[in-house]
């Protein structure tokens, strides 16, 4: 039971991200639009990086960052979205509905089964492995553990500081995973669970992207399977602790959202593209280079058009 509770708590940021984006972009969640899968992937980023931002704010205020105060700030965020929602008018732009191929085609069914097998293997291995990634042991998990000790301390009332080359975003995210894992048996439920959520979010977005472009379930699931079974990606999800996927995913989404904005001229997609483009700068020190490059590309594209 504790395992189920801790798992449900760990995925709350993603759920909050879905609710937040639904409040401001309900059109893209309609059942007939495969594009919604990309938005669900973006909701993962919105939820987890929104969580990190709230934890940072609470820490700067010398408040216990993972406590009822976090519920209060989340409530304030939802309240702001509800207040702003009436002013965000839905455009009359229609998104083409994909006519997908036969649902029960042998290729789709077989590849879906293989994909589920790979996911189950990855989840199983993730739970069995301790913190083994070099980046985890040397920096992320080490600092996340220090942060959890910091918020439990009654002596140190100063904001948490890090002596390292990277922002504190993934430290906060890993601290959330570690805190939720502590509810259950840590040996059975790894504290690096956000990396598994990232793995699944990318898979969902990839499937939605190819389904939106190819209108073929078989082609979409084949490319999704290629991603899920890629050795490097699988290893990153299993042992966790590396930040490359956290950088690659927002780059992927920002480019897609900007391209869609160029097609249908929905300013919400442009805003989403810009928000996801800035995320790499808050992941690793080198991420700012990617963010600046994306903004430069977007700017010159808008100027040319």
């Amino acid at each position: 039971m504790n395992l189920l509770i801790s798992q449900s708590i760990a995925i709350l940021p993603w759920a909050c991200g879905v609710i937040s984006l639904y409040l401001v972009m309900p059109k893209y969640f309609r059942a007939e639009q495969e594009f919604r899968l990309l938005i669900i992937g973006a909701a993962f980023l919105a939820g987890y990086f929104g969580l990190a931002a709230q934890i940072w704010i609470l820490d700067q205020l010398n408040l216990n960052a993972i406590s009822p105060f976090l519920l209060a700030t989340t409530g304030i965020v939802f309240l702001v979205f509800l207040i702003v929602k009436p002013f965000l008018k839905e455009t009359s732009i229609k998104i083409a509905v994909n006519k997908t191929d036969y649902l029960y085609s042998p290729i789709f069914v077989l590849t879906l089964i293989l994909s589920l097998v790979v996911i189950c293997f990855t989840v199983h291995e993730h739970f069995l492995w301790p913190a083994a990634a070099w980046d985890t042991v040397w920096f992320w998990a080490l600092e996340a553990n220090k942060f959890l000790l910091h918020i439990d301390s009654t002596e140190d009332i100063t904001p948490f500081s890090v002596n390292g080359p990277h922002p504190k975003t993934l430290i906060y995210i890993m601290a959330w995973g570690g805190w939720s894992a502590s509810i259950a048996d840590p040996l059975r439920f790894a504290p690096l669970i956000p990396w598994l959520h990232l793995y699944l979010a990318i898979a969902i977005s990839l499937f939605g992207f190819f389904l939106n472009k190819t209108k073929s379930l078989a082609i979409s699931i084949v490319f999704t399977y290629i991603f899920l079974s890629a050795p490097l990606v699988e290893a990153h999800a299993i042992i966790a602790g590396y930040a490359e996927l956290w950088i690659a995913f927002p780059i992927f989404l920002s480019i897609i959202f900007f391209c869609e904005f160029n097609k249908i001229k929905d300013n919400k997609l442009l805003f989403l593209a810009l928000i996801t483009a800035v995320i790499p700068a808050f992941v690793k020190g080198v991420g700012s280079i990617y963010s600046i490059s994306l903004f430069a590309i977007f700017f010159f594209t808008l100027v040319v058009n």
Side-chain angles (χ1 to χ4, degrees):
M1 186 62 182
N2 287 342
L3 184 62
L4 178 61
I5 294 173
S6 63
Q7 184 176 10
S8 301
I9 292 175
I11 205 170
L12 279 178
W14 194 351
C16 291
V18 171
I19 296 172
S20 299
L21 289 187
Y22 179 78
L23 289 175
V24 296
M25 306 177 70
K27 177 177 66 175
Y28 296 100
F29 281 90
R30 290 171 188 164
E32 69 273 11
Q33 298 165 356
E34 284 78 7
F35 194 74
R36 71 191 182 277
L37 295 175
L38 284 167
I39 302 298
I40 291 175
F44 164 84
L45 295 176
Y48 266 106
F49 283 87
L51 169 73
Q54 292 179 66
I55 291 177
W56 178 82
I57 291 172
L58 290 173
D59 184 53
Q60 296 303 305
L61 296 174
N62 295 324
L63 299 173
N64 191 331
I66 303 180
S67 69
F69 289 115
L70 187 58
L71 292 176
T73 56
T74 303
I76 292 172
V77 171
F78 284 142
L79 180 62
V80 170
F81 278 122
L82 288 172
I83 293 174
V84 173
K85 181 176 172 58
F87 301 97
L88 299 174
K89 295 182 180 179
E90 283 292 305
T91 62
S92 58
I93 300 169
K94 293 184 179 180
I95 299 176
V97 178
N98 287 333
K99 301 296 183 181
T100 57
D101 57 10
Y102 188 49
L103 181 62
Y104 300 107
S105 66
I107 295 177
F108 173 75
V109 173
L110 177 60
T111 313
L112 177 61
I113 292 173
L114 289 175
S115 299
L116 293 176
V117 169
V118 170
I119 290 173
C120 290
F121 169 79
T122 302
V123 171
H124 176 70
E125 286 292 297
H126 179 93
F127 286 173
L128 290 179
W129 274 83
W134 172 250
D135 288 5
T136 298
V137 176
W138 172 76
F139 188 72
W140 302 118
L142 182 65
E143 296 297 334
N145 187 61
K146 290 180 181 178
F147 176 71
L148 289 174
L149 294 174
H150 169 80
I151 62 177
D152 286 337
S153 173
T154 58
E155 298 177 359
D156 188 0
I157 59 172
T158 59
F160 179 68
S161 60
V162 175
N163 294 320
H166 307 303
K168 293 184 281 189
T169 308
L170 284 191
I171 295 172
Y172 295 143
I173 291 175
M174 186 175 283
W176 171 262
W179 178 82
S180 61
S182 67
I183 299 173
D185 182 356
L187 296 178
R188 296 183 58 209
F189 191 74
L192 309 179
I193 190 65
W195 269 256
L196 270 186
H197 294 164
L198 172 65
Y199 180 66
L200 296 176
I202 298 176
I204 291 171
S205 295
L206 275 176
F207 181 76
F209 171 73
F210 282 106
L211 189 59
N212 186 264
K213 298 301 179 182
T214 67
K215 305 173 179 62
S216 169
L217 285 168
I219 293 176
S220 303
I221 195 64
V222 165
F223 278 101
T224 304
Y225 171 75
I226 291 173
F227 163 78
L228 289 171
S229 59
L232 186 60
V233 172
E234 198 175 19
H236 275 228
I238 289 172
I239 63 177
Y242 293 108
E244 279 69 26
L245 288 179
W246 292 91
I247 292 178
F249 188 34
I251 293 174
F252 167 71
L253 286 182
S254 65
I255 294 173
I256 291 176
F257 292 142
F258 186 77
C259 291
E260 289 297 321
F261 161 75
N262 271 335
K263 289 169 54 179
I264 64 177
K265 302 302 180 184
D266 187 346
N267 288 331
K268 291 180 181 179
L269 288 177
L270 176 60
F271 178 75
L272 198 55
L274 296 177
I275 290 297
T276 50
V278 80
I279 285 176
F282 292 95
V283 176
K284 288 184 72 174
V286 72
S288 57
I289 298 176
Y290 295 104
S291 294
I292 293 171
S293 300
L294 285 171
F295 277 108
I297 293 171
F298 294 165
F299 174 76
F300 285 113
T301 302
L302 291 173
V303 170
V304 171
N305 291 340

